[in-house]
Amino acid sequence: MAAAAPFESAPVLAVAVSGGCDSMALALLAHIWARARGGRVVALTVDHRLRPESAAEARLVRRRLQAGDIEHRILRWAGPYPTSGIQAAAREARYDLLTDWCRRHAVLHLLLAHQRDDQAETLLMRLAHGSGDDGLAAMSAVSQRDGVRLLRPLLAVPRARLIATLEKKGVAWIDDPSNADLRFERVRWRRELEVGGAVAGGFLRHALALAARAHGIARGSRDDNVAMLLAAVCPMPEGHLLLPAGLLAGSSAAVAGAVLSRCLLAVGGDTHPPQSEALMRLVAEIQEPARLRGRTLAGCRIVPWRGTVLICREPAAVPATSSIGPGSGIAWDRRFALRLAPGAVGISEVRPLGAVGQARLGPDAAARAARLPGPVRASLPALHDRRGLAAVPHLGWRRGRNGPNLLLVGWQPRHPLAPAAFRPVSGPGPAIGDSCFTAPADYLE
């Protein structure tokens, strides 16, 4: 935990607990750590409601944690449930529920139970998908999402030690059947690591964790250079970025790629950065401005605009409709925080402004819109009621004098433009003599 400092006095920690061995061990260890400092832990279990027994399992987790004097909350996913990519959708919903709870309860730190085996599997998956240097650093010990610090204090610890900890303390856990389902890519890589047996698999996991740490150290150093360049990027309230035309000239491909990756994540809101090959093509074009004619990547449009490089949302990637009501708030298009006043009766939807909406603006709002780049105008949030377009907050336009009042409208990207620097794991732990296995003599040579 010292690597994730600083912490407030009497720290309050949220811990994501699925009920498996990793997260149960993390909840136990975090409880001991926080209590010794006058703080407390709140365990959060997300019930995805994808299996009939999930609700009963969440209640079982609650009873086991409460028996150890650990506070517990159950968060339920209400859908919608996709017909494909269910694991990725469930992961996004889980993070949204966890970080939303933390924000609402003013809890800054959310602990996640990823451990050394997960780190090794992550590196293998990213190698297979052609990730660049940043991706090969795997998971950071500290990161940020939606204004919450995500801490992974167990990245140097093998799963076998966590199991041994629970067994020593007499704490039971739940084995999720999805962790053995070969339809999922991570499970298939996990199976590959197990093919050679405990000894070979243990050494391979250790080697992969060491490789991820080496990439992480390099990434942490590179992040300092990236932060200096990002300080020159101009974020605009309409949700786009302006880069000075020569900003990346002379930078290494790795540093320039990291700058662009951060920009694309902030504007497009994707979970992961774009793949290395496409990103490097974009770097080459921006470093030679005469070559840049405009392209789309990661849900963004990248075009030259008035002596700068404009990165804005791709209008076609914006969701067609999102529901909103009086007194409620939403995170729209993974970019904007919108909250309506309780008296804004009749408003039911947020849509991108588009060409049709622009045609309905009054002259003053149309003049303000004309000063914005075309794709930025098209992707602005617009409030609708049963009569159609009711308000465009960024343009100061409302239909009539009694149009809807907003309590909040602001660009609040899921990924901050300049997040905390990557923090590599302090060390993946000893490979020989740990509780995973005992190495035979020939491995020592």
Side-chain angles (χ1 to χ4, degrees):
M1 292 293 284
F7 292 94
E8 63 273 28
S9 59
V12 179
L13 309 175
V15 183
V17 182
S18 66
C21 58
D22 302 342
S23 59
M24 290 293 285
L26 176 60
L28 174 66
L29 296 168
H31 174 62
I32 295 169
W33 183 90
R35 187 173 56 183
R37 289 157 180 80
R40 64 187 178 92
V41 157
V42 182
L44 305 176
T45 297
V46 175
D47 177 10
H48 298 92
R49 301 197 287 188
L50 295 174
R51 296 182 291 116
E53 60 271 25
S54 66
E57 288 176 353
R59 293 192 296 270
L60 176 59
V61 172
R62 167 179 284 175
R63 290 194 297 271
R64 288 173 174 172
L65 290 173
Q66 288 180 339
D69 198 28
I70 297 176
E71 191 176 341
H72 183 261
R73 298 286 185 272
I74 297 174
L75 312 178
R76 294 178 175 84
W77 184 23
Y81 300 99
T83 56
S84 62
I86 186 66
Q87 196 173 52
R91 178 184 181 277
E92 284 300 296
R94 181 165 62 251
Y95 275 107
D96 286 345
L97 288 166
L98 291 168
T99 55
D100 178 68
W101 188 93
C102 289
R103 287 195 306 274
R104 287 188 289 106
H105 293 84
V107 175
L108 181 59
H109 317 285
L110 172 63
L111 274 61
L112 305 173
H114 299 110
Q115 34 72 20
R116 191 184 72 176
D117 298 2
D118 296 322
Q119 188 79 321
E121 294 159 8
T122 298
L123 179 57
L124 277 178
M125 292 169 63
R126 293 186 178 179
L127 281 167
H129 288 278
S131 290
D133 290 340
D134 282 0
L136 298 183
M139 291 179 279
S140 175
V142 180
S143 57
Q144 293 172 250
R145 176 174 171 138
D146 295 332
V148 178
R149 300 179 79 226
L150 307 184
L151 311 183
R152 298 178 174 89
L154 300 180
L155 283 178
V157 183
R159 176 176 281 119
R161 288 188 179 179
L162 301 176
I163 292 174
T165 299
L166 294 178
E167 290 175 341
K168 179 74 172 180
K169 297 290 186 181
V171 177
W173 66 89
I174 297 169
D175 289 318
D176 186 342
S178 67
N179 290 330
D181 192 336
L182 292 175
R183 290 178 299 173
F184 302 131
E185 182 185 9
R186 182 175 289 274
V187 176
R188 295 195 296 271
W189 283 114
R190 185 174 302 148
R191 185 65 55 86
E192 289 293 325
L193 287 170
E194 295 168 352
V195 168
V199 172
F203 265 97
L204 183 54
R205 286 186 177 91
H206 179 73
L208 289 167
L210 281 174
R213 180 170 181 260
H215 281 286
I217 291 171
R219 177 174 174 179
S221 176
R222 190 165 57 247
D223 276 359
D224 292 338
N225 295 327
V226 170
M228 293 295 292
L229 293 171
L230 287 170
V233 174
C234 185
M236 304 300 290
E238 297 84 9
H240 60 285
L241 300 172
L242 297 175
L243 283 66
L247 179 65
L248 302 181
S251 297
S252 69
V255 168
V259 171
L260 288 177
S261 180
R262 297 275 174 83
C263 292
L264 294 171
L265 285 174
V267 174
D270 279 356
T271 303
H272 300 294
Q275 290 192 356
S276 178
E277 184 178 349
L279 188 62
M280 288 302 102
R281 286 198 298 267
L282 179 59
V283 166
E285 291 185 10
I286 290 181
Q287 286 185 324
E288 298 181 32
R291 293 178 54 189
L292 183 61
R293 293 291 183 270
R295 64 164 57 241
T296 59
L297 183 63
C300 300
R301 287 192 66 181
I302 306 96
V303 295
W305 191 73
R306 298 183 181 178
T308 68
V309 175
L310 166 72
I311 298 180
C312 65
R313 193 74 164 106
E314 181 185 0
V318 179
T321 302
S322 299
S323 298
I324 193 171
S328 68
I330 62 171
W332 184 73
D333 190 33
R334 299 173 292 191
R335 293 185 295 152
F336 292 110
L338 300 175
R339 181 170 293 277
L340 281 176
V345 179
I347 301 298
S348 59
E349 293 180 347
V350 185
R351 304 177 189 171
L353 180 60
V356 174
Q358 293 178 59
R360 297 176 181 173
L361 296 174
D364 291 343
R368 286 190 288 271
R371 291 193 287 267
L372 297 173
V376 172
R377 295 196 299 268
S379 60
L380 289 174
L383 303 177
H384 288 252
D385 59 15
R386 286 181 295 178
R387 295 172 55 192
L389 183 65
V392 185
H394 285 93
L395 300 178
W397 182 85
R398 293 190 296 176
R399 187 188 65 223
R401 295 182 178 180
N402 298 319
N405 290 316
L406 278 168
L407 292 177
L408 173 70
V409 56
W411 187 21
Q412 192 176 80
R414 170 175 293 181
H415 305 282
L417 181 60
F422 190 94
R423 295 201 194 180
V425 182
S426 58
I432 298 171
D434 70 14
S435 59
C436 287
F437 57 87
T438 300
D442 58 340
Y443 269 86
L444 302 180
E445 301 172 0

